[in-house]
Amino acid sequence: VMYEEEFSKINAICDRLTRDANAKVVFLVDKNGQLISAAGHTQNIDTTSLASLTAGNVAAMGGLAKLIGENEFPNQIHEGTNESLYMSIVAGRVVLVVIFDKRTTVGLVRLKVKIVSAELGKVFADGKAALACHLAARGRRERPYRGKADQPAAGAPGQPGKQPCPT
């Protein structure tokens, strides 16, 4: 579940990354292969296939990582003759994909992705907490989430003295 406010923040972050990294395209894809956001020159790209193949690639590389004793490979680079892909797992749940060419460098892309990943992680954490809070206020809890956010939130009915949900 994603609120419109989180979706707007995510789109703005992806747009800014496209500019700051001098990238051609930036995609944000969930690990199930669903496209969340796209920024840049996406007109000639099959975004559905890119999202699906990204998820498959991350899953395959996760399998390879486990074979050598790693949990996952959070960052991947695929360098082509004219264009390259940089992929980074963000907040353990989505994949940030940057397509770039010779107008920029891998180092710049890597640096900007690192900065943006922290911002996106905060947006997802804030959205998860807000969702848990609002569901708890209605007397329900969101099952897909686990951990602290799955506990009754501040402001939930029957919790006197607690602060209400952030808006």
Side-chain angles (χ1 to χ4, degrees), residues 15 17 20 23 26 30 40 75 79 93 144 154:
D15 285 338
L17 176 60
D20 291 353
V26 170
D30 74 11
N75 300 297
E79 295 182 82
R93 61 186 273 190

Side-chain angles (χ1 to χ4, degrees), residues 133-148:
C133 184
H134 289 291
L135 289 174
R138 290 188 203 147
R140 301 188 334 227
R141 291 192 295 168
E142 176 69 317
R143 290 288 103 213
Y145 298 122
R146 299 290 181 249
K148 290 181 183 178

Side-chain angles (χ1 to χ4, degrees), residues 33 35 50 59 63 65 81 88 100 115 118 121 124-125 129 131 138 151 157 165:
L35 183 66
L50 185 129
T81 305
S88 182
F100 61 99
I115 293 166
F124 287 121
L131 175 64
R138 290 188 203 147
Q151 302 303 314
C165 294

Side-chain angles (χ1 to χ4, degrees), residues 102-145:
K102 296 179 187 299
R103 296 176 301 137
T104 193
T105 64
V106 174
L108 179 63
V109 170
R110 197 173 280 177
L111 172 67
K112 297 301 181 179
V113 164
K114 185 175 182 178
I115 293 166
V116 163
S117 292
E119 293 175 37
L120 288 169
K122 183 174 179 350
V123 170
F124 287 121
D126 291 350
K128 187 166 123 177
L131 175 64
C133 184
H134 289 291
L135 289 174
R138 290 188 203 147
R140 301 188 334 227
R141 291 192 295 168
E142 176 69 317
R143 290 288 103 213
Y145 298 122

Side-chain angles (χ1 to χ4, degrees), residues 7 12 17 31 37 40 44 52 61-62 65 70 73 80 83 106 112-113 116 120 129 145 154 160 162:
F7 185 67
L17 176 60
K31 285 189 171 183
S37 181
N44 297 324
S52 178
M61 294 307 288
E70 291 291 327
F73 294 125
E83 295 184 350
V106 174
K112 297 301 181 179
V113 164
V116 163
L120 288 169
Y145 298 122
K162 301 284 183 167

